[in-house]
Amino acid sequence: MRSEQTPTEAPQVDLVVAVDVGGMSIKRGLVSFGDGGAPSVESLPAQPIDATASADVLLAALRSAIDPLLRRAVDGQQADVLALGVAFPGPMDYERGIPAIRGQRKFDNLCGVDLRAWATTAWPDQTLDVRFVNDAEAAALGESIAGASRSSQRSLMVTLGTGFGAAAVVDGCGALLVGGVNVQLLFEALVEDHGRADDVLSAVGLAALLGVPVDGVAGAAQAAREGDVAISSSFEEFGRRLGRFLAGHVRAMNMDVLVIGGGAGKAFDLFAPSLRAEVRAEVHAAALGEHAPLIGAAAFTVI
């Protein structure tokens, strides 16, 4: 189940605690929208996690990531904390706050856990309004509010992290079904004869194509920028695969902007030319980095 459609205009609020739960770490920050202007983010260092850990370990990690944000807001007397926005990968019942992930090698042990009820017991003295939103949608909303697609009426954002995520924003709202395409299910689609998008078009898939571990992609990118032809050709092939996969979907959804984010997006300059050659839309790198899903998750809490 997806989150509700969410307007991307900056809301009139004070301060929101926002976290982005990823397969390798929890990004976190305090998001302020001030008087309706551009949002600001006061972030703390990302907290590493093991997404294959037990439910108890994962919940403890989530609490330890959020606790310092609540303390900082209260101790600094910055503003009233209105809500907690949690960006989380799907599938998930976002309205109820119950993950439904199985067999994806991450967060399987949280399947069926009521995170909304857990949050109520974790912070009994707080009156936080807790909202959950798909992580890819949160990033797309953030970029629409203040990033690479802020001037677009129809944008698709693809996040290339530990998996493949996609989210569409149409006329200021997050959209699940566009032009007959179920955007949040694109991760399951096949990429020609290479495998699922989640496996092939992700940081993990890029690392496999390069023949390096995931933490070796940055080094490979540097080698490509320094003139390694063989490595450069692998990045170009990644861009072609990504472009061929997305071209038909972008056309069917009538998107005018495609935004690329996530960990693999840090090598955007190396695969962008071959990607652009396949897709009929403006193609941009995400502008907000790790702040995009935090801004999107925070915006979702105040609707």
Side-chain angles (χ1 to χ4, degrees):
M1 184 179 296
R2 74 183 293 271
S3 50
E4 296 293 330
Q5 290 191 338
T6 308
T8 59
E9 294 181 358
Q12 304 284 332
V13 303
D14 283 335
L15 197 66
V16 178
V17 173
V19 295
D20 173 28
V21 183
M24 300 176 68
S25 66
I26 301 173
K27 285 81 172 178
R28 51 192 175 149
L30 295 172
V31 181
S32 173
F33 293 94
D35 294 323
S40 63
V41 181
E42 179 186 353
S43 59
L44 294 181
Q47 178 170 307
I49 59 170
D50 176 6
T52 65
S54 68
D56 287 343
V57 170
L58 288 169
L59 293 176
L62 187 56
R63 178 166 184 170
S64 66
I66 295 171
D67 276 342
L69 296 171
L70 292 173
R71 287 197 300 270
R72 179 167 296 200
V74 173
D75 294 345
Q77 297 181 344
Q78 298 180 43
D80 292 331
V81 177
L82 299 180
L84 167 62
V86 181
F88 200 91
M92 180 180 190
D93 183 333
Y94 289 98
E95 183 175 350
R96 297 169 61 199
I98 301 177
I101 299 174
R102 291 185 184 276
Q104 293 187 30
R105 304 184 302 279
K106 57 183 180 182
F107 305 120
D108 287 40
N109 292 323
L110 288 181
C111 184
V113 175
D114 188 334
L115 296 183
R116 187 182 304 282
W118 165 80
T120 300
T121 59
W123 298 284
D125 297 330
Q126 297 286 341
T127 56
L128 289 175
D129 179 17
V130 184
R131 303 289 183 90
F132 300 88
V133 60
N134 177 268
D135 55 349
E137 184 176 353
L141 290 170
E143 291 289 339
S144 291
I145 291 170
S149 56
R150 63 186 178 277
S151 61
S152 170
Q153 296 302 307
R154 302 181 67 88
S155 62
L156 175 68
M157 181 169 181
V158 171
T159 54
L160 310 174
T162 54
F164 175 96
V169 178
V170 178
D171 296 329
C173 294
L176 171 62
L177 191 64
V178 185
V181 178
N182 190 320
V183 183
Q184 289 183 7
L185 294 183
L186 286 178
F187 77 97
E188 294 182 331
L190 294 178
V191 183
E192 297 177 334
D193 59 349
H194 303 296
R196 297 189 318 151
D198 207 44
D199 300 319
V200 177
L201 302 178
S202 60
V204 174
L206 176 58
L209 186 61
L210 292 167
V212 299
V214 173
D215 60 6
V217 171
Q222 184 60 34
R225 295 184 182 106
E226 293 174 355
D228 190 306
V229 176
I231 294 178
S232 293
S233 66
S234 293
F235 279 106
E236 292 169 3
E237 173 61 19
F238 182 79
R240 277 191 293 273
R241 291 183 183 183
L242 181 60
R244 289 171 183 168
F245 175 75
L246 290 174
H249 300 306
V250 168
R251 184 170 57 253
M253 292 187 284
N254 193 28
M255 293 296 171
D256 51 47
V257 172
L258 172 64
V259 179
I260 304 297
K266 295 177 182 178
F268 177 78
D269 59 306
L270 298 172
F271 62 79
S274 54
L275 167 59
R276 287 187 171 119
E278 303 289 342
V279 177
R280 292 188 176 182
E282 292 183 26
V283 181
H284 301 292
L288 301 178
E290 295 178 354
H291 285 180
L294 298 180
I295 292 172
F300 186 77
T301 67
V302 296
I303 301 305

PDB file of all heavy atoms in Angstrom, residues 100-134:
ATOM      1  N   ALA A 100       5.811  -4.713   4.866  1.00  0.00           N
ATOM      2  CA  ALA A 100       5.387  -5.992   4.281  1.00  0.00           C
ATOM      3  C   ALA A 100       6.494  -6.564   3.403  1.00  0.00           C
ATOM      4  O   ALA A 100       6.234  -7.231   2.403  1.00  0.00           O
ATOM      5  CB  ALA A 100       4.104  -5.794   3.465  1.00  0.00           C
ATOM      6  N   ILE A 101       7.736  -6.296   3.793  1.00  0.00           N
ATOM      7  CA  ILE A 101       8.894  -6.729   3.005  1.00  0.00           C
ATOM      8  C   ILE A 101       9.210  -8.187   3.303  1.00  0.00           C
ATOM      9  O   ILE A 101       9.345  -8.591   4.455  1.00  0.00           O
ATOM     10  CB  ILE A 101      10.117  -5.858   3.320  1.00  0.00           C
ATOM     11  CG1 ILE A 101       9.834  -4.394   2.969  1.00  0.00           C
ATOM     12  CG2 ILE A 101      11.348  -6.349   2.570  1.00  0.00           C
ATOM     13  CD1 ILE A 101      10.936  -3.438   3.370  1.00  0.00           C
ATOM     14  N   ARG A 102       9.356  -8.967   2.239  1.00  0.00           N
ATOM     15  CA  ARG A 102       9.759 -10.366   2.368  1.00  0.00           C
ATOM     16  C   ARG A 102      10.723 -10.727   1.241  1.00  0.00           C
ATOM     17  O   ARG A 102      10.505 -10.353   0.092  1.00  0.00           O
ATOM     18  CB  ARG A 102       8.543 -11.303   2.291  1.00  0.00           C
ATOM     19  CG  ARG A 102       7.594 -11.235   3.478  1.00  0.00           C
ATOM     20  CD  ARG A 102       6.510 -12.290   3.360  1.00  0.00           C
ATOM     21  NE  ARG A 102       5.525 -12.202   4.431  1.00  0.00           N
ATOM     22  CZ  ARG A 102       5.669 -12.754   5.621  1.00  0.00           C
ATOM     23  NH1 ARG A 102       6.769 -13.431   5.892  1.00  0.00           N
ATOM     24  NH2 ARG A 102       4.729 -12.627   6.534  1.00  0.00           N
ATOM     25  N   GLY A 103      11.767 -11.445   1.583  1.00  0.00           N
ATOM     26  CA  GLY A 103      12.672 -11.983   0.578  1.00  0.00           C
ATOM     27  C   GLY A 103      13.482 -10.965  -0.188  1.00  0.00           C
ATOM     28  O   GLY A 103      13.940 -11.237  -1.297  1.00  0.00           O
ATOM     29  N   GLN A 104      13.713  -9.767   0.387  1.00  0.00           N
ATOM     30  CA  GLN A 104      14.503  -8.741  -0.293  1.00  0.00           C
ATOM     31  C   GLN A 104      15.866  -8.524   0.359  1.00  0.00           C
ATOM     32  O   GLN A 104      16.567  -7.572   0.036  1.00  0.00           O
ATOM     33  CB  GLN A 104      13.727  -7.422  -0.338  1.00  0.00           C
ATOM     34  CG  GLN A 104      12.485  -7.469  -1.203  1.00  0.00           C
ATOM     35  CD  GLN A 104      11.845  -6.097  -1.352  1.00  0.00           C
ATOM     36  OE1 GLN A 104      12.520  -5.075  -1.315  1.00  0.00           O
ATOM     37  NE2 GLN A 104      10.537  -6.079  -1.519  1.00  0.00           N
ATOM     38  N   ARG A 105      16.197  -9.380   1.312  1.00  0.00           N
ATOM     39  CA  ARG A 105      17.492  -9.304   1.989  1.00  0.00           C
ATOM     40  C   ARG A 105      17.642  -8.033   2.825  1.00  0.00           C
ATOM     41  O   ARG A 105      18.742  -7.632   3.160  1.00  0.00           O
ATOM     42  CB  ARG A 105      18.658  -9.420   0.990  1.00  0.00           C
ATOM     43  CG  ARG A 105      18.615 -10.677   0.128  1.00  0.00           C
ATOM     44  CD  ARG A 105      19.829 -10.778  -0.761  1.00  0.00           C
ATOM     45  NE  ARG A 105      19.967  -9.623  -1.642  1.00  0.00           N
ATOM     46  CZ  ARG A 105      19.306  -9.473  -2.785  1.00  0.00           C
ATOM     47  NH1 ARG A 105      18.449 -10.396  -3.189  1.00  0.00           N
ATOM     48  NH2 ARG A 105      19.504  -8.407  -3.531  1.00  0.00           N
ATOM     49  N   LYS A 106      16.526  -7.394   3.142  1.00  0.00           N
ATOM     50  CA  LYS A 106      16.578  -6.231   4.030  1.00  0.00           C
ATOM     51  C   LYS A 106      15.214  -6.043   4.691  1.00  0.00           C
ATOM     52  O   LYS A 106      14.177  -6.108   4.043  1.00  0.00           O
ATOM     53  CB  LYS A 106      16.973  -4.960   3.276  1.00  0.00           C
ATOM     54  CG  LYS A 106      16.074  -4.616   2.102  1.00  0.00           C
ATOM     55  CD  LYS A 106      16.570  -3.390   1.345  1.00  0.00           C
ATOM     56  CE  LYS A 106      15.664  -3.049   0.178  1.00  0.00           C
ATOM     57  NZ  LYS A 106      16.154  -1.897  -0.585  1.00  0.00           N
ATOM     58  N   PHE A 107      15.241  -5.881   5.993  1.00  0.00           N
ATOM     59  CA  PHE A 107      14.059  -5.589   6.803  1.00  0.00           C
ATOM     60  C   PHE A 107      13.007  -6.695   6.781  1.00  0.00           C
ATOM     61  O   PHE A 107      11.851  -6.440   7.131  1.00  0.00           O
ATOM     62  CB  PHE A 107      13.430  -4.257   6.391  1.00  0.00           C
ATOM     63  CG  PHE A 107      14.394  -3.102   6.437  1.00  0.00           C
ATOM     64  CD1 PHE A 107      14.686  -2.376   5.300  1.00  0.00           C
ATOM     65  CD2 PHE A 107      15.020  -2.770   7.632  1.00  0.00           C
ATOM     66  CE1 PHE A 107      15.584  -1.322   5.342  1.00  0.00           C
ATOM     67  CE2 PHE A 107      15.927  -1.720   7.685  1.00  0.00           C
ATOM     68  CZ  PHE A 107      16.208  -0.994   6.534  1.00  0.00           C
ATOM     69  N   ASP A 108      13.392  -7.903   6.405  1.00  0.00           N
ATOM     70  CA  ASP A 108      12.446  -9.017   6.450  1.00  0.00           C
ATOM     71  C   ASP A 108      11.912  -9.227   7.863  1.00  0.00           C
ATOM     72  O   ASP A 108      10.744  -9.604   8.050  1.00  0.00           O
ATOM     73  CB  ASP A 108      13.102 -10.312   5.965  1.00  0.00           C
ATOM     74  CG  ASP A 108      13.327 -10.336   4.467  1.00  0.00           C
ATOM     75  OD1 ASP A 108      13.708  -9.285   3.914  1.00  0.00           O
ATOM     76  OD2 ASP A 108      13.126 -11.395   3.848  1.00  0.00           O
ATOM     77  N   ASN A 109      12.759  -8.967   8.852  1.00  0.00           N
ATOM     78  CA  ASN A 109      12.355  -9.215  10.243  1.00  0.00           C
ATOM     79  C   ASN A 109      11.430  -8.144  10.806  1.00  0.00           C
ATOM     80  O   ASN A 109      10.936  -8.280  11.928  1.00  0.00           O
ATOM     81  CB  ASN A 109      13.600  -9.365  11.121  1.00  0.00           C
ATOM     82  CG  ASN A 109      14.384 -10.625  10.791  1.00  0.00           C
ATOM     83  OD1 ASN A 109      13.788 -11.663  10.493  1.00  0.00           O
ATOM     84  ND2 ASN A 109      15.698 -10.543  10.821  1.00  0.00           N
ATOM     85  N   LEU A 110      11.186  -7.099  10.039  1.00  0.00           N
ATOM     86  CA  LEU A 110      10.191  -6.096  10.439  1.00  0.00           C
ATOM     87  C   LEU A 110       8.853  -6.317   9.743  1.00  0.00           C
ATOM     88  O   LEU A 110       7.896  -5.568   9.989  1.00  0.00           O
ATOM     89  CB  LEU A 110      10.686  -4.680  10.129  1.00  0.00           C
ATOM     90  CG  LEU A 110      11.816  -4.145  11.010  1.00  0.00           C
ATOM     91  CD1 LEU A 110      12.172  -2.721  10.606  1.00  0.00           C
ATOM     92  CD2 LEU A 110      11.439  -4.194  12.493  1.00  0.00           C
ATOM     93  N   CYS A 111       8.767  -7.341   8.928  1.00  0.00           N
ATOM     94  CA  CYS A 111       7.512  -7.629   8.224  1.00  0.00           C
ATOM     95  C   CYS A 111       6.407  -7.889   9.251  1.00  0.00           C
ATOM     96  O   CYS A 111       6.537  -8.746  10.128  1.00  0.00           O
ATOM     97  CB  CYS A 111       7.681  -8.837   7.301  1.00  0.00           C
ATOM     98  SG  CYS A 111       6.219  -9.207   6.312  1.00  0.00           S
ATOM     99  N   GLY A 112       5.320  -7.132   9.144  1.00  0.00           N
ATOM    100  CA  GLY A 112       4.192  -7.300  10.056  1.00  0.00           C
ATOM    101  C   GLY A 112       4.294  -6.547  11.363  1.00  0.00           C
ATOM    102  O   GLY A 112       3.345  -6.558  12.161  1.00  0.00           O
ATOM    103  N   VAL A 113       5.424  -5.871  11.615  1.00  0.00           N
ATOM    104  CA  VAL A 113       5.592  -5.125  12.866  1.00  0.00           C
ATOM    105  C   VAL A 113       4.861  -3.785  12.759  1.00  0.00           C
ATOM    106  O   VAL A 113       5.026  -3.045  11.786  1.00  0.00           O
ATOM    107  CB  VAL A 113       7.082  -4.891  13.169  1.00  0.00           C
ATOM    108  CG1 VAL A 113       7.243  -4.013  14.405  1.00  0.00           C
ATOM    109  CG2 VAL A 113       7.798  -6.224  13.362  1.00  0.00           C
ATOM    110  N   ASP A 114       4.072  -3.461  13.762  1.00  0.00           N
ATOM    111  CA  ASP A 114       3.326  -2.209  13.786  1.00  0.00           C
ATOM    112  C   ASP A 114       4.246  -1.090  14.290  1.00  0.00           C
ATOM    113  O   ASP A 114       4.397  -0.890  15.500  1.00  0.00           O
ATOM    114  CB  ASP A 114       2.101  -2.345  14.697  1.00  0.00           C
ATOM    115  CG  ASP A 114       1.164  -1.152  14.623  1.00  0.00           C
ATOM    116  OD1 ASP A 114       1.631  -0.053  14.302  1.00  0.00           O
ATOM    117  OD2 ASP A 114      -0.036  -1.329  14.910  1.00  0.00           O
ATOM    118  N   LEU A 115       4.850  -0.363  13.357  1.00  0.00           N
ATOM    119  CA  LEU A 115       5.808   0.673  13.734  1.00  0.00           C
ATOM    120  C   LEU A 115       5.131   1.888  14.359  1.00  0.00           C
ATOM    121  O   LEU A 115       5.741   2.586  15.169  1.00  0.00           O
ATOM    122  CB  LEU A 115       6.626   1.097  12.509  1.00  0.00           C
ATOM    123  CG  LEU A 115       7.524   0.024  11.894  1.00  0.00           C
ATOM    124  CD1 LEU A 115       8.325   0.593  10.728  1.00  0.00           C
ATOM    125  CD2 LEU A 115       8.477  -0.567  12.939  1.00  0.00           C
ATOM    126  N   ARG A 116       3.879   2.142  14.003  1.00  0.00           N
ATOM    127  CA  ARG A 116       3.184   3.261  14.620  1.00  0.00           C
ATOM    128  C   ARG A 116       2.948   2.991  16.110  1.00  0.00           C
ATOM    129  O   ARG A 116       3.181   3.851  16.966  1.00  0.00           O
ATOM    130  CB  ARG A 116       1.852   3.521  13.911  1.00  0.00           C
ATOM    131  CG  ARG A 116       1.150   4.780  14.398  1.00  0.00           C
ATOM    132  CD  ARG A 116      -0.182   4.961  13.688  1.00  0.00           C
ATOM    133  NE  ARG A 116      -0.042   4.994  12.246  1.00  0.00           N
ATOM    134  CZ  ARG A 116       0.380   6.054  11.565  1.00  0.00           C
ATOM    135  NH1 ARG A 116       0.719   7.148  12.219  1.00  0.00           N
ATOM    136  NH2 ARG A 116       0.474   6.020  10.258  1.00  0.00           N
ATOM    137  N   ALA A 117       2.499   1.777  16.420  1.00  0.00           N
ATOM    138  CA  ALA A 117       2.288   1.408  17.828  1.00  0.00           C
ATOM    139  C   ALA A 117       3.616   1.405  18.575  1.00  0.00           C
ATOM    140  O   ALA A 117       3.689   1.832  19.739  1.00  0.00           O
ATOM    141  CB  ALA A 117       1.616   0.044  17.918  1.00  0.00           C
ATOM    142  N   TRP A 118       4.670   0.936  17.922  1.00  0.00           N
ATOM    143  CA  TRP A 118       5.991   0.922  18.551  1.00  0.00           C
ATOM    144  C   TRP A 118       6.439   2.336  18.896  1.00  0.00           C
ATOM    145  O   TRP A 118       6.955   2.589  19.996  1.00  0.00           O
ATOM    146  CB  TRP A 118       7.013   0.271  17.614  1.00  0.00           C
ATOM    147  CG  TRP A 118       8.426   0.527  18.027  1.00  0.00           C
ATOM    148  CD1 TRP A 118       9.132  -0.102  19.003  1.00  0.00           C
ATOM    149  CD2 TRP A 118       9.292   1.540  17.493  1.00  0.00           C
ATOM    150  NE1 TRP A 118      10.390   0.447  19.112  1.00  0.00           N
ATOM    151  CE2 TRP A 118      10.516   1.451  18.195  1.00  0.00           C
ATOM    152  CE3 TRP A 118       9.166   2.497  16.491  1.00  0.00           C
ATOM    153  CZ2 TRP A 118      11.589   2.289  17.922  1.00  0.00           C
ATOM    154  CZ3 TRP A 118      10.233   3.333  16.221  1.00  0.00           C
ATOM    155  CH2 TRP A 118      11.429   3.227  16.933  1.00  0.00           C
ATOM    156  N   ALA A 119       6.236   3.289  17.978  1.00  0.00           N
ATOM    157  CA  ALA A 119       6.653   4.662  18.223  1.00  0.00           C
ATOM    158  C   ALA A 119       5.900   5.261  19.408  1.00  0.00           C
ATOM    159  O   ALA A 119       6.468   6.025  20.200  1.00  0.00           O
ATOM    160  CB  ALA A 119       6.435   5.510  16.969  1.00  0.00           C
ATOM    161  N   THR A 120       4.649   4.905  19.555  1.00  0.00           N
ATOM    162  CA  THR A 120       3.843   5.415  20.672  1.00  0.00           C
ATOM    163  C   THR A 120       4.414   4.969  22.008  1.00  0.00           C
ATOM    164  O   THR A 120       4.463   5.739  22.980  1.00  0.00           O
ATOM    165  CB  THR A 120       2.388   4.938  20.543  1.00  0.00           C
ATOM    166  OG1 THR A 120       1.842   5.426  19.306  1.00  0.00           O
ATOM    167  CG2 THR A 120       1.535   5.453  21.690  1.00  0.00           C
ATOM    168  N   THR A 121       4.875   3.721  22.057  1.00  0.00           N
ATOM    169  CA  THR A 121       5.451   3.208  23.304  1.00  0.00           C
ATOM    170  C   THR A 121       6.891   3.662  23.488  1.00  0.00           C
ATOM    171  O   THR A 121       7.365   3.789  24.621  1.00  0.00           O
ATOM    172  CB  THR A 121       5.393   1.673  23.334  1.00  0.00           C
ATOM    173  OG1 THR A 121       6.113   1.136  22.207  1.00  0.00           O
ATOM    174  CG2 THR A 121       3.950   1.190  23.263  1.00  0.00           C
ATOM    175  N   ALA A 122       7.595   3.928  22.390  1.00  0.00           N
ATOM    176  CA  ALA A 122       8.995   4.348  22.489  1.00  0.00           C
ATOM    177  C   ALA A 122       9.120   5.750  23.062  1.00  0.00           C
ATOM    178  O   ALA A 122      10.069   6.047  23.804  1.00  0.00           O
ATOM    179  CB  ALA A 122       9.653   4.282  21.111  1.00  0.00           C
ATOM    180  N   TRP A 123       8.162   6.626  22.748  1.00  0.00           N
ATOM    181  CA  TRP A 123       8.199   8.013  23.243  1.00  0.00           C
ATOM    182  C   TRP A 123       6.842   8.361  23.855  1.00  0.00           C
ATOM    183  O   TRP A 123       6.077   9.176  23.313  1.00  0.00           O
ATOM    184  CB  TRP A 123       8.541   8.976  22.096  1.00  0.00           C
ATOM    185  CG  TRP A 123       9.902   8.700  21.534  1.00  0.00           C
ATOM    186  CD1 TRP A 123      11.110   9.018  22.079  1.00  0.00           C
ATOM    187  CD2 TRP A 123      10.190   8.019  20.302  1.00  0.00           C
ATOM    188  NE1 TRP A 123      12.132   8.583  21.270  1.00  0.00           N
ATOM    189  CE2 TRP A 123      11.597   7.972  20.166  1.00  0.00           C
ATOM    190  CE3 TRP A 123       9.395   7.469  19.291  1.00  0.00           C
ATOM    191  CZ2 TRP A 123      12.210   7.380  19.072  1.00  0.00           C
ATOM    192  CZ3 TRP A 123      10.006   6.873  18.204  1.00  0.00           C
ATOM    193  CH2 TRP A 123      11.405   6.834  18.106  1.00  0.00           C
ATOM    194  N   PRO A 124       6.528   7.765  24.994  1.00  0.00           N
ATOM    195  CA  PRO A 124       5.194   7.966  25.594  1.00  0.00           C
ATOM    196  C   PRO A 124       4.944   9.397  26.036  1.00  0.00           C
ATOM    197  O   PRO A 124       3.785   9.806  26.170  1.00  0.00           O
ATOM    198  CB  PRO A 124       5.204   7.007  26.795  1.00  0.00           C
ATOM    199  CG  PRO A 124       6.648   6.828  27.121  1.00  0.00           C
ATOM    200  CD  PRO A 124       7.371   6.868  25.799  1.00  0.00           C
ATOM    201  N   ASP A 125       6.008  10.170  26.272  1.00  0.00           N
ATOM    202  CA  ASP A 125       5.831  11.543  26.746  1.00  0.00           C
ATOM    203  C   ASP A 125       5.723  12.550  25.603  1.00  0.00           C
ATOM    204  O   ASP A 125       5.511  13.737  25.841  1.00  0.00           O
ATOM    205  CB  ASP A 125       7.004  11.942  27.655  1.00  0.00           C
ATOM    206  CG  ASP A 125       7.069  11.090  28.912  1.00  0.00           C
ATOM    207  OD1 ASP A 125       5.997  10.638  29.364  1.00  0.00           O
ATOM    208  OD2 ASP A 125       8.191  10.867  29.417  1.00  0.00           O
ATOM    209  N   GLN A 126       5.880  12.065  24.375  1.00  0.00           N
ATOM    210  CA  GLN A 126       5.787  12.951  23.219  1.00  0.00           C
ATOM    211  C   GLN A 126       4.405  12.835  22.574  1.00  0.00           C
ATOM    212  O   GLN A 126       3.776  11.773  22.616  1.00  0.00           O
ATOM    213  CB  GLN A 126       6.852  12.580  22.179  1.00  0.00           C
ATOM    214  CG  GLN A 126       8.284  12.747  22.651  1.00  0.00           C
ATOM    215  CD  GLN A 126       8.687  14.214  22.724  1.00  0.00           C
ATOM    216  OE1 GLN A 126       8.072  15.079  22.120  1.00  0.00           O
ATOM    217  NE2 GLN A 126       9.744  14.490  23.481  1.00  0.00           N
ATOM    218  N   THR A 127       3.959  13.917  21.978  1.00  0.00           N
ATOM    219  CA  THR A 127       2.679  13.895  21.257  1.00  0.00           C
ATOM    220  C   THR A 127       2.932  13.971  19.753  1.00  0.00           C
ATOM    221  O   THR A 127       2.265  14.713  19.030  1.00  0.00           O
ATOM    222  CB  THR A 127       1.789  15.060  21.693  1.00  0.00           C
ATOM    223  OG1 THR A 127       2.490  16.291  21.492  1.00  0.00           O
ATOM    224  CG2 THR A 127       1.381  14.918  23.147  1.00  0.00           C
ATOM    225  N   LEU A 128       3.903  13.219  19.315  1.00  0.00           N
ATOM    226  CA  LEU A 128       4.286  13.232  17.913  1.00  0.00           C
ATOM    227  C   LEU A 128       3.208  12.614  17.030  1.00  0.00           C
ATOM    228  O   LEU A 128       2.653  11.557  17.348  1.00  0.00           O
ATOM    229  CB  LEU A 128       5.586  12.446  17.709  1.00  0.00           C
ATOM    230  CG  LEU A 128       6.880  13.053  18.246  1.00  0.00           C
ATOM    231  CD1 LEU A 128       8.021  12.080  18.051  1.00  0.00           C
ATOM    232  CD2 LEU A 128       7.175  14.370  17.568  1.00  0.00           C
ATOM    233  N   ASP A 129       2.939  13.257  15.924  1.00  0.00           N
ATOM    234  CA  ASP A 129       2.106  12.667  14.880  1.00  0.00           C
ATOM    235  C   ASP A 129       3.056  11.936  13.948  1.00  0.00           C
ATOM    236  O   ASP A 129       3.855  12.567  13.243  1.00  0.00           O
ATOM    237  CB  ASP A 129       1.348  13.770  14.137  1.00  0.00           C
ATOM    238  CG  ASP A 129       0.473  13.205  13.026  1.00  0.00           C
ATOM    239  OD1 ASP A 129       0.202  11.988  13.042  1.00  0.00           O
ATOM    240  OD2 ASP A 129       0.069  13.977  12.142  1.00  0.00           O
ATOM    241  N   VAL A 130       3.010  10.609  13.942  1.00  0.00           N
ATOM    242  CA  VAL A 130       3.959   9.803  13.180  1.00  0.00           C
ATOM    243  C   VAL A 130       3.366   9.434  11.828  1.00  0.00           C
ATOM    244  O   VAL A 130       2.254   8.893  11.753  1.00  0.00           O
ATOM    245  CB  VAL A 130       4.339   8.519  13.954  1.00  0.00           C
ATOM    246  CG1 VAL A 130       5.404   7.742  13.190  1.00  0.00           C
ATOM    247  CG2 VAL A 130       4.826   8.869  15.355  1.00  0.00           C
ATOM    248  N   ARG A 131       4.094   9.744  10.758  1.00  0.00           N
ATOM    249  CA  ARG A 131       3.643   9.424   9.400  1.00  0.00           C
ATOM    250  C   ARG A 131       4.737   8.643   8.681  1.00  0.00           C
ATOM    251  O   ARG A 131       5.934   8.872   8.887  1.00  0.00           O
ATOM    252  CB  ARG A 131       3.339  10.703   8.614  1.00  0.00           C
ATOM    253  CG  ARG A 131       2.309  11.609   9.256  1.00  0.00           C
ATOM    254  CD  ARG A 131       0.909  11.031   9.187  1.00  0.00           C
ATOM    255  NE  ARG A 131      -0.078  11.964   9.745  1.00  0.00           N
ATOM    256  CZ  ARG A 131      -0.717  12.883   9.028  1.00  0.00           C
ATOM    257  NH1 ARG A 131      -0.471  12.994   7.734  1.00  0.00           N
ATOM    258  NH2 ARG A 131      -1.591  13.676   9.602  1.00  0.00           N
ATOM    259  N   PHE A 132       4.302   7.742   7.808  1.00  0.00           N
ATOM    260  CA  PHE A 132       5.217   6.918   7.033  1.00  0.00           C
ATOM    261  C   PHE A 132       4.991   7.184   5.545  1.00  0.00           C
ATOM    262  O   PHE A 132       3.845   7.354   5.099  1.00  0.00           O
ATOM    263  CB  PHE A 132       5.004   5.435   7.343  1.00  0.00           C
ATOM    264  CG  PHE A 132       5.225   5.085   8.785  1.00  0.00           C
ATOM    265  CD1 PHE A 132       4.186   5.169   9.705  1.00  0.00           C
ATOM    266  CD2 PHE A 132       6.468   4.691   9.232  1.00  0.00           C
ATOM    267  CE1 PHE A 132       4.388   4.868  11.040  1.00  0.00           C
ATOM    268  CE2 PHE A 132       6.684   4.374  10.574  1.00  0.00           C
ATOM    269  CZ  PHE A 132       5.635   4.474  11.481  1.00  0.00           C
ATOM    270  N   VAL A 133       6.068   7.195   4.789  1.00  0.00           N
ATOM    271  CA  VAL A 133       5.987   7.452   3.356  1.00  0.00           C
ATOM    272  C   VAL A 133       7.042   6.596   2.658  1.00  0.00           C
ATOM    273  O   VAL A 133       8.116   6.320   3.213  1.00  0.00           O
ATOM    274  CB  VAL A 133       6.191   8.952   3.053  1.00  0.00           C
ATOM    275  CG1 VAL A 133       7.546   9.435   3.532  1.00  0.00           C
ATOM    276  CG2 VAL A 133       6.013   9.250   1.568  1.00  0.00           C
ATOM    277  N   ASN A 134       6.746   6.164   1.457  1.00  0.00           N
ATOM    278  CA  ASN A 134       7.716   5.405   0.669  1.00  0.00           C
ATOM    279  C   ASN A 134       8.987   6.228   0.489  1.00  0.00           C
ATOM    280  O   ASN A 134       8.932   7.431   0.231  1.00  0.00           O
ATOM    281  CB  ASN A 134       7.103   5.056  -0.684  1.00  0.00           C
ATOM    282  CG  ASN A 134       8.072   4.329  -1.586  1.00  0.00           C
ATOM    283  OD1 ASN A 134       8.771   4.950  -2.373  1.00  0.00           O
ATOM    284  ND2 ASN A 134       8.121   3.010  -1.466  1.00  0.00           N
TER     285      ASN A 134
END
